[in-house]
Amino acid sequence: MTTLDDRTITTDLADIGDFTASLRQEHDDLFEAFWAHPFLRELRAGTLSREATLHYVGQDHHYLSAYLRCYGLGMAKSPDRPWMRHFVDSSLFLLEDESHPHHVMCESFGVQYEAVQHDRLAPSAQAYIDHMMECGHDSLGVLMFALLPCPWTYIWAGNRYLAQHDNPADNKFEGWWQFYGSPDCNDLLANLLQRCEALAQEAGPAERARMARAFELSCHHEIRFWQLAYTRETWGDLPRSILAG
Amino acid sequence: MTTLDDRTITTDLADIGDFTASLRQEHDDLFEAFWAHPFLRELRAGTLSREATLHYVGQDHHYLSAYLRCYGLGMAKSPDRPWMRHFVDSSLFLLEDESHPHHVMCESFGVQYEAVQHDRLAPSAQAYIDHMMECGHDSLGVLMFALLPCPWTYIWAGNRYLAQHDNPADNKFEGWWQFYGSPDCNDLLANLLQRCEALAQEAGPAERARMARAFELSCHHEIRFWQLAYTRETWGDLPRSILAG
Amino acid sequence: MTTLDDRTITTDLADIGDFTASLRQEHDDLFEAFWAHPFLRELRAGTLSREATLHYVGQDHHYLSAYLRCYGLGMAKSPDRPWMRHFVDSSLFLLEDESHPHHVMCESFGVQYEAVQHDRLAPSAQAYIDHMMECGHDSLGVLMFALLPCPWTYIWAGNRYLAQHDNPADNKFEGWWQFYGSPDCNDLLANLLQRCEALAQEAGPAERARMARAFELSCHHEIRFWQLAYTRETWGDLPRSILAG
Amino acid sequence: MTTLDDRTITTDLADIGDFTASLRQEHDDLFEAFWAHPFLRELRAGTLSREATLHYVGQDHHYLSAYLRCYGLGMAKSPDRPWMRHFVDSSLFLLEDESHPHHVMCESFGVQYEAVQHDRLAPSAQAYIDHMMECGHDSLGVLMFALLPCPWTYIWAGNRYLAQHDNPADNKFEGWWQFYGSPDCNDLLANLLQRCEALAQEAGPAERARMARAFELSCHHEIRFWQLAYTRETWGDLPRSILAG
């Protein structure tokens, strides 16, 4: 059993590679904005509204399907079988385990998971997905840095929450936090950080610049995803407001 | 010289193919929202602010570079030399002619074109580009329907403006309107509408559904592009507002 | 336990969809050339040389890695989670089960599997892979029809062999034949045939033509793969023969 | 007017970048095999048969269409407008000028260019194209090194021919040689060599290894293209020979 101290290791910048660590430091403001967003603040306090929670679940399920497509692009660019195995294992994890935190959210409000599915992505979720897919048509390294902020922000936030709260805390979303702060998730993140750094080390300056940009934009997209959930964003919002004058 | 009657022909739904015409009708509200957006309203009135105008030019120049990349994807999917020639000619038009309306805008405020270049796309422009590029990794037909709303909304608006105003009207942006309402632009649109319809006619239902979705989202993105220019959107807006509490 | 009669069902053209069945009939000569190639004839007779066998294994291992990359492209184009699950399951099968017939071949000659790995694909194997990857940048349907001849020819040949020989026959490659004629492989093929036909049914004529071309070329590539193994083809063959005058 | 001395400058390894020059030296045997192939030998002697010549023209026209698609992939990966302009200009050159040597060949035998068009690529031509397209789904640098051997081998051979023969020589294919040894073609090659080297300089070791492989395989494909023309290769050759026993 991992202790909390072990668990924080992966987010200790001293233990990750130079390129990845410097990106993390450069965008610490984005990680802090992620943490400070009202959606996450209310998820910590257990006060997040039913509407925002379920909008999030519906969008995130759809988003994870698209994330699987990015794993496919990663497989297609894999230089060897261990990389292919990585993407197959990651796909299985996503297909089989990552619905757990969604179920926690649905159960908090006594709703069936199947009842909250959305049939299309909101603008900010679609933009995030299109960004990652585009990076998946660049190099494996650019793709990996586009994919990294999703697990990194969530697992970093999970660890931070667990370090600041009773274990378990009295929070209807406690299972969500326990999942992202779990040893399994920390191992998964440590593995990704190593893979990303290895790719950065063998990349030239032009590719590194694209990796850095991919990472930065995905950090922004993570924050924007909270915003879309919190505001229950839809495509119709803007045209309706214009036509209403 | 084309008369106004000729010029409106291409936007006459009776003259374009069934699939394309039905998409146009289905999303008439999006065309009307495009037209009604304050950015375009003020561009008609000649009252658009220097800041919004120049933000638009800087973003649109960058956007058109990305549009050229989409033409590249189109060339790569071209079934024959006439299609390749179409994309080469379209690229030349864009490289050589489409900076004209940008120059009109810069000159209205006595600014050099080169001085308003942006080094990165705003979130809504990047989302639009990533959407079109993703469609460019689908089929030629899906790409073409993703590309279509940009010329269609602009040229439709150009024709509508010219039909409603003196020719020339007393508007510091008159050259912008004259460009998009020009016979050349109408010919270009008529050509695109024919190409799109031909691709739709030979597509199956699944691809047609993706064509329709690509078109609809690009219509939304056109409206969102006015919004980004009007609000001078940047990536930093959201994280800053969160961290400011 | 499936009987031989059940097993032949999947190759019964009456039971598969119209488009797929007509492709199969149109290219029956290619299936017969596949069957008649000296490599396969000697694999049936148990007389295939050590050199040809091991060259085949080395190339086919490499080829299957590239096949996995094609599954990645398929995942990236999957319209829904069942399709993604199909590619993940197919990847697991390939990573875990399909080395079995390779091991049979190595053991026939008392060689370690690891000892026969090649570090690059021969020209005909590389051409096959590049063909399938290119189809993977077209539509999901075109990709699926490019991937289909590999399992279809092998499993069809496996069934045909088992129907013509004692069970088990006295053949040092018997395990190879048993694998491709197994109920599991027949189920896998039946599943692929259904998926392919469903995609053809929703495709338009232009995409169908590309599907048919992809299928035909992959049938040719299957025959050429026997040829490369039988002749122990390398990239250096042609330049060496030219320079030798 | 450029003198021969000027013209040979671009093939002087002292004048091109380190990475590109070392690739050229490493694969000098492939350039020599290209030069020594009977097809090119007979093209120098003016004795190439009508059948081989026209098979070549039919295949090469088709090949150049696919080459244009690769330019499209290059445009889609272009980092800036000068790179886009490069691909647009290259496309125009190919659409407008590169049919000239084909016409020379057709006229040598009193045949109309339109009469020798093929409706499909032979196996070796298709393999070449699929190789380049696949490289076009990797990075811009990998694509450029896959595209480089085509102009480099032809223009190097053109210069070598002109240096060894009277000017003009008494050769029914003299116009073909004059085209590829022309100052325009040498300028084009010099430009490509600079672009390739610049991309190699900013690439990391993994991408450089893929660039080197792409280049080497395209050199092989160039030789194999002579072979396909000389043997009038078709897809049906192999299955027919097998079925004929």
Side-chain angles (χ1 to χ4, degrees), chain C residues 169-196:
Chain C
D170 176 24
N171 181 343
K172 72 168 122 172
F173 305 116
E174 185 68 10
W176 194 95
W177 291 106
Q178 294 282 346
F179 178 83
Y180 288 112
S182 69
D184 278 1
C185 276
N186 275 284
D187 288 349
L188 180 154
L189 176 59
N191 179 281
L192 291 176
L193 290 168
Q194 281 187 334
R195 288 180 180 276
C196 285

mmCIF file of all heavy atoms in Angstrom, chain C residues 169-196:
data_model
loop_
_atom_site.group_PDB
_atom_site.id
_atom_site.type_symbol
_atom_site.label_atom_id
_atom_site.label_comp_id
_atom_site.label_asym_id
_atom_site.label_seq_id
_atom_site.Cartn_x
_atom_site.Cartn_y
_atom_site.Cartn_z
ATOM 1 N N ALA C 169 -3.039 -34.206 -39.538
ATOM 2 C CA ALA C 169 -2.224 -34.784 -40.600
ATOM 3 C C ALA C 169 -0.772 -34.887 -40.131
ATOM 4 O O ALA C 169 -0.379 -34.216 -39.168
ATOM 5 C CB ALA C 169 -2.300 -33.905 -41.849
ATOM 6 N N ASP C 170 -0.017 -35.705 -40.792
ATOM 7 C CA ASP C 170 1.396 -35.861 -40.461
ATOM 8 C C ASP C 170 2.190 -34.784 -41.214
ATOM 9 O O ASP C 170 2.626 -34.997 -42.337
ATOM 10 C CB ASP C 170 1.846 -37.277 -40.869
ATOM 11 C CG ASP C 170 3.339 -37.473 -40.639
ATOM 12 O OD1 ASP C 170 3.907 -36.756 -39.784
ATOM 13 O OD2 ASP C 170 3.918 -38.329 -41.335
ATOM 14 N N ASN C 171 2.289 -33.601 -40.590
ATOM 15 C CA ASN C 171 2.884 -32.433 -41.250
ATOM 16 C C ASN C 171 3.573 -31.621 -40.170
ATOM 17 O O ASN C 171 2.956 -31.272 -39.164
ATOM 18 C CB ASN C 171 1.755 -31.603 -41.900
ATOM 19 C CG ASN C 171 2.275 -30.377 -42.626
ATOM 20 O OD1 ASN C 171 3.411 -29.943 -42.424
ATOM 21 N ND2 ASN C 171 1.431 -29.800 -43.460
ATOM 22 N N LYS C 172 4.821 -31.319 -40.357
ATOM 23 C CA LYS C 172 5.512 -30.603 -39.287
ATOM 24 C C LYS C 172 4.935 -29.209 -39.068
ATOM 25 O O LYS C 172 5.182 -28.597 -38.043
ATOM 26 C CB LYS C 172 7.020 -30.567 -39.541
ATOM 27 C CG LYS C 172 7.470 -29.670 -40.658
ATOM 28 C CD LYS C 172 8.997 -29.480 -40.628
ATOM 29 C CE LYS C 172 9.602 -29.938 -41.930
ATOM 30 N NZ LYS C 172 11.014 -29.642 -42.085
ATOM 31 N N PHE C 173 4.160 -28.726 -40.033
ATOM 32 C CA PHE C 173 3.523 -27.429 -39.878
ATOM 33 C C PHE C 173 2.044 -27.554 -39.477
ATOM 34 O O PHE C 173 1.287 -26.599 -39.595
ATOM 35 C CB PHE C 173 3.624 -26.627 -41.185
ATOM 36 C CG PHE C 173 5.028 -26.471 -41.686
ATOM 37 C CD1 PHE C 173 5.424 -27.037 -42.893
ATOM 38 C CD2 PHE C 173 5.975 -25.767 -40.945
ATOM 39 C CE1 PHE C 173 6.721 -26.889 -43.367
ATOM 40 C CE2 PHE C 173 7.277 -25.613 -41.406
ATOM 41 C CZ PHE C 173 7.667 -26.178 -42.616
ATOM 42 N N GLU C 174 1.647 -28.766 -39.042
ATOM 43 C CA GLU C 174 0.227 -29.001 -38.750
ATOM 44 C C GLU C 174 -0.365 -27.953 -37.799
ATOM 45 O O GLU C 174 -1.504 -27.497 -37.981
ATOM 46 C CB GLU C 174 0.045 -30.413 -38.159
ATOM 47 C CG GLU C 174 -1.406 -30.818 -37.924
ATOM 48 C CD GLU C 174 -2.218 -31.003 -39.206
ATOM 49 O OE1 GLU C 174 -1.620 -31.006 -40.315
ATOM 50 O OE2 GLU C 174 -3.457 -31.128 -39.112
ATOM 51 N N GLY C 175 0.398 -27.541 -36.774
ATOM 52 C CA GLY C 175 -0.112 -26.553 -35.809
ATOM 53 C C GLY C 175 -0.443 -25.225 -36.475
ATOM 54 O O GLY C 175 -1.364 -24.519 -36.054
ATOM 55 N N TRP C 176 0.309 -24.899 -37.510
ATOM 56 C CA TRP C 176 0.038 -23.680 -38.274
ATOM 57 C C TRP C 176 -1.332 -23.780 -38.931
ATOM 58 O O TRP C 176 -2.168 -22.877 -38.831
ATOM 59 C CB TRP C 176 1.147 -23.506 -39.333
ATOM 60 C CG TRP C 176 1.230 -22.151 -39.983
ATOM 61 C CD1 TRP C 176 2.023 -21.120 -39.613
ATOM 62 C CD2 TRP C 176 0.507 -21.696 -41.148
ATOM 63 N NE1 TRP C 176 1.853 -20.049 -40.446
ATOM 64 C CE2 TRP C 176 0.923 -20.374 -41.407
ATOM 65 C CE3 TRP C 176 -0.454 -22.267 -41.988
ATOM 66 C CZ2 TRP C 176 0.414 -19.618 -42.466
ATOM 67 C CZ3 TRP C 176 -0.961 -21.514 -43.044
ATOM 68 C CH2 TRP C 176 -0.532 -20.212 -43.271
ATOM 69 N N TRP C 177 -1.582 -24.886 -39.599
ATOM 70 C CA TRP C 177 -2.859 -25.099 -40.285
ATOM 71 C C TRP C 177 -4.021 -25.194 -39.303
ATOM 72 O O TRP C 177 -5.111 -24.664 -39.575
ATOM 73 C CB TRP C 177 -2.787 -26.371 -41.156
ATOM 74 C CG TRP C 177 -1.873 -26.199 -42.329
ATOM 75 C CD1 TRP C 177 -0.621 -26.734 -42.489
ATOM 76 C CD2 TRP C 177 -2.137 -25.431 -43.507
ATOM 77 N NE1 TRP C 177 -0.075 -26.346 -43.692
ATOM 78 C CE2 TRP C 177 -0.995 -25.536 -44.349
ATOM 79 C CE3 TRP C 177 -3.216 -24.658 -43.940
ATOM 80 C CZ2 TRP C 177 -0.918 -24.909 -45.591
ATOM 81 C CZ3 TRP C 177 -3.135 -24.030 -45.178
ATOM 82 C CH2 TRP C 177 -1.990 -24.157 -45.987
ATOM 83 N N GLN C 178 -3.788 -25.871 -38.184
ATOM 84 C CA GLN C 178 -4.859 -25.992 -37.188
ATOM 85 C C GLN C 178 -5.252 -24.607 -36.650
ATOM 86 O O GLN C 178 -6.420 -24.351 -36.384
ATOM 87 C CB GLN C 178 -4.396 -26.879 -36.012
ATOM 88 C CG GLN C 178 -4.150 -28.345 -36.387
ATOM 89 C CD GLN C 178 -5.435 -29.149 -36.527
ATOM 90 O OE1 GLN C 178 -6.510 -28.710 -36.111
ATOM 91 N NE2 GLN C 178 -5.343 -30.331 -37.137
ATOM 92 N N PHE C 179 -4.240 -23.759 -36.481
ATOM 93 C CA PHE C 179 -4.532 -22.420 -35.959
ATOM 94 C C PHE C 179 -5.454 -21.652 -36.909
ATOM 95 O O PHE C 179 -6.499 -21.133 -36.503
ATOM 96 C CB PHE C 179 -3.235 -21.629 -35.736
ATOM 97 C CG PHE C 179 -3.475 -20.218 -35.248
ATOM 98 C CD1 PHE C 179 -3.691 -19.956 -33.901
ATOM 99 C CD2 PHE C 179 -3.499 -19.142 -36.137
ATOM 100 C CE1 PHE C 179 -3.929 -18.659 -33.444
ATOM 101 C CE2 PHE C 179 -3.741 -17.840 -35.691
ATOM 102 C CZ PHE C 179 -3.952 -17.605 -34.347
ATOM 103 N N TYR C 180 -5.092 -21.581 -38.175
ATOM 104 C CA TYR C 180 -5.873 -20.767 -39.106
ATOM 105 C C TYR C 180 -7.211 -21.411 -39.493
ATOM 106 O O TYR C 180 -8.123 -20.720 -39.944
ATOM 107 C CB TYR C 180 -5.042 -20.389 -40.345
ATOM 108 C CG TYR C 180 -3.984 -19.365 -39.985
ATOM 109 C CD1 TYR C 180 -2.628 -19.678 -40.006
ATOM 110 C CD2 TYR C 180 -4.356 -18.088 -39.564
ATOM 111 C CE1 TYR C 180 -1.664 -18.740 -39.638
ATOM 112 C CE2 TYR C 180 -3.394 -17.149 -39.190
ATOM 113 C CZ TYR C 180 -2.063 -17.478 -39.224
ATOM 114 O OH TYR C 180 -1.123 -16.553 -38.849
ATOM 115 N N GLY C 181 -7.310 -22.737 -39.284
ATOM 116 C CA GLY C 181 -8.601 -23.385 -39.526
ATOM 117 C C GLY C 181 -9.436 -23.532 -38.273
ATOM 118 O O GLY C 181 -10.494 -24.175 -38.308
ATOM 119 N N SER C 182 -9.003 -22.931 -37.180
ATOM 120 C CA SER C 182 -9.700 -23.115 -35.891
ATOM 121 C C SER C 182 -11.035 -22.369 -35.856
ATOM 122 O O SER C 182 -11.235 -21.395 -36.586
ATOM 123 C CB SER C 182 -8.818 -22.588 -34.761
ATOM 124 O OG SER C 182 -8.726 -21.177 -34.859
ATOM 125 N N PRO C 183 -11.948 -22.836 -34.999
ATOM 126 C CA PRO C 183 -13.220 -22.122 -34.827
ATOM 127 C C PRO C 183 -13.006 -20.666 -34.416
ATOM 128 O O PRO C 183 -13.719 -19.778 -34.895
ATOM 129 C CB PRO C 183 -13.917 -22.914 -33.711
ATOM 130 C CG PRO C 183 -13.327 -24.288 -33.803
ATOM 131 C CD PRO C 183 -11.898 -24.100 -34.230
ATOM 132 N N ASP C 184 -12.027 -20.408 -33.562
ATOM 133 C CA ASP C 184 -11.781 -19.017 -33.156
ATOM 134 C C ASP C 184 -11.463 -18.141 -34.361
ATOM 135 O O ASP C 184 -11.967 -17.017 -34.480
ATOM 136 C CB ASP C 184 -10.588 -18.934 -32.177
ATOM 137 C CG ASP C 184 -11.008 -19.269 -30.751
ATOM 138 O OD1 ASP C 184 -12.198 -19.578 -30.540
ATOM 139 O OD2 ASP C 184 -10.129 -19.236 -29.865
ATOM 140 N N CYS C 185 -10.612 -18.663 -35.235
ATOM 141 C CA CYS C 185 -10.273 -17.865 -36.418
ATOM 142 C C CYS C 185 -11.481 -17.710 -37.334
ATOM 143 O O CYS C 185 -11.686 -16.638 -37.921
ATOM 144 C CB CYS C 185 -9.092 -18.496 -37.164
ATOM 145 S SG CYS C 185 -7.494 -17.999 -36.455
ATOM 146 N N ASN C 186 -12.284 -18.741 -37.451
ATOM 147 C CA ASN C 186 -13.484 -18.616 -38.282
ATOM 148 C C ASN C 186 -14.470 -17.603 -37.703
ATOM 149 O O ASN C 186 -15.092 -16.840 -38.452
ATOM 150 C CB ASN C 186 -14.149 -19.989 -38.469
ATOM 151 C CG ASN C 186 -13.522 -20.766 -39.617
ATOM 152 O OD1 ASN C 186 -13.794 -20.470 -40.776
ATOM 153 N ND2 ASN C 186 -12.640 -21.704 -39.308
ATOM 154 N N ASP C 187 -14.589 -17.579 -36.393
ATOM 155 C CA ASP C 187 -15.462 -16.577 -35.771
ATOM 156 C C ASP C 187 -14.945 -15.171 -36.035
ATOM 157 O O ASP C 187 -15.717 -14.249 -36.327
ATOM 158 C CB ASP C 187 -15.532 -16.803 -34.254
ATOM 159 C CG ASP C 187 -16.333 -18.045 -33.909
ATOM 160 O OD1 ASP C 187 -17.001 -18.603 -34.813
ATOM 161 O OD2 ASP C 187 -16.275 -18.468 -32.742
ATOM 162 N N LEU C 188 -13.651 -15.048 -35.902
ATOM 163 C CA LEU C 188 -13.021 -13.752 -36.151
ATOM 164 C C LEU C 188 -13.311 -13.292 -37.582
ATOM 165 O O LEU C 188 -13.692 -12.137 -37.825
ATOM 166 C CB LEU C 188 -11.530 -13.926 -35.917
ATOM 167 C CG LEU C 188 -10.560 -12.795 -36.077
ATOM 168 C CD1 LEU C 188 -9.318 -13.066 -35.190
ATOM 169 C CD2 LEU C 188 -10.107 -12.642 -37.520
ATOM 170 N N LEU C 189 -13.183 -14.211 -38.528
ATOM 171 C CA LEU C 189 -13.434 -13.856 -39.924
ATOM 172 C C LEU C 189 -14.898 -13.484 -40.152
ATOM 173 O O LEU C 189 -15.212 -12.506 -40.845
ATOM 174 C CB LEU C 189 -13.026 -15.012 -40.851
ATOM 175 C CG LEU C 189 -13.321 -14.807 -42.332
ATOM 176 C CD1 LEU C 189 -12.625 -13.573 -42.892
ATOM 177 C CD2 LEU C 189 -12.913 -16.050 -43.138
ATOM 178 N N ALA C 190 -15.792 -14.277 -39.561
ATOM 179 C CA ALA C 190 -17.222 -13.991 -39.734
ATOM 180 C C ALA C 190 -17.546 -12.587 -39.227
ATOM 181 O O ALA C 190 -18.321 -11.843 -39.843
ATOM 182 C CB ALA C 190 -18.057 -15.042 -38.992
ATOM 183 N N ASN C 191 -16.932 -12.235 -38.102
ATOM 184 C CA ASN C 191 -17.142 -10.906 -37.531
ATOM 185 C C ASN C 191 -16.635 -9.807 -38.474
ATOM 186 O O ASN C 191 -17.315 -8.797 -38.713
ATOM 187 C CB ASN C 191 -16.416 -10.847 -36.180
ATOM 188 C CG ASN C 191 -16.552 -9.492 -35.501
ATOM 189 O OD1 ASN C 191 -15.858 -8.551 -35.853
ATOM 190 N ND2 ASN C 191 -17.471 -9.399 -34.557
ATOM 191 N N LEU C 192 -15.459 -10.039 -39.044
ATOM 192 C CA LEU C 192 -14.902 -9.045 -39.974
ATOM 193 C C LEU C 192 -15.766 -8.892 -41.216
ATOM 194 O O LEU C 192 -15.975 -7.786 -41.717
ATOM 195 C CB LEU C 192 -13.485 -9.446 -40.400
ATOM 196 C CG LEU C 192 -12.405 -9.372 -39.322
ATOM 197 C CD1 LEU C 192 -11.093 -9.888 -39.884
ATOM 198 C CD2 LEU C 192 -12.253 -7.938 -38.814
ATOM 199 N N LEU C 193 -16.244 -10.021 -41.735
ATOM 200 C CA LEU C 193 -17.063 -9.970 -42.954
ATOM 201 C C LEU C 193 -18.337 -9.165 -42.708
ATOM 202 O O LEU C 193 -18.763 -8.385 -43.570
ATOM 203 C CB LEU C 193 -17.394 -11.388 -43.429
ATOM 204 C CG LEU C 193 -16.202 -12.170 -44.003
ATOM 205 C CD1 LEU C 193 -16.558 -13.648 -44.182
ATOM 206 C CD2 LEU C 193 -15.748 -11.568 -45.337
ATOM 207 N N GLN C 194 -18.922 -9.341 -41.538
ATOM 208 C CA GLN C 194 -20.126 -8.568 -41.211
ATOM 209 C C GLN C 194 -19.819 -7.080 -41.112
ATOM 210 O O GLN C 194 -20.560 -6.231 -41.606
ATOM 211 C CB GLN C 194 -20.707 -9.033 -39.876
ATOM 212 C CG GLN C 194 -21.503 -10.319 -39.979
ATOM 213 C CD GLN C 194 -22.190 -10.643 -38.665
ATOM 214 O OE1 GLN C 194 -21.734 -10.228 -37.611
ATOM 215 N NE2 GLN C 194 -23.282 -11.391 -38.736
ATOM 216 N N ARG C 195 -18.716 -6.765 -40.437
ATOM 217 C CA ARG C 195 -18.353 -5.354 -40.273
ATOM 218 C C ARG C 195 -18.073 -4.696 -41.632
ATOM 219 O O ARG C 195 -18.506 -3.564 -41.891
ATOM 220 C CB ARG C 195 -17.116 -5.222 -39.379
ATOM 221 C CG ARG C 195 -17.389 -5.508 -37.928
ATOM 222 C CD ARG C 195 -16.152 -5.377 -37.052
ATOM 223 N NE ARG C 195 -16.517 -5.666 -35.673
ATOM 224 C CZ ARG C 195 -17.045 -4.757 -34.835
ATOM 225 N NH1 ARG C 195 -17.213 -3.515 -35.224
ATOM 226 N NH2 ARG C 195 -17.390 -5.096 -33.616
ATOM 227 N N CYS C 196 -17.349 -5.417 -42.467
ATOM 228 C CA CYS C 196 -17.018 -4.864 -43.791
ATOM 229 C C CYS C 196 -18.283 -4.619 -44.609
ATOM 230 O O CYS C 196 -18.445 -3.555 -45.212
ATOM 231 C CB CYS C 196 -16.086 -5.811 -44.546
ATOM 232 S SG CYS C 196 -14.385 -5.758 -43.936
#
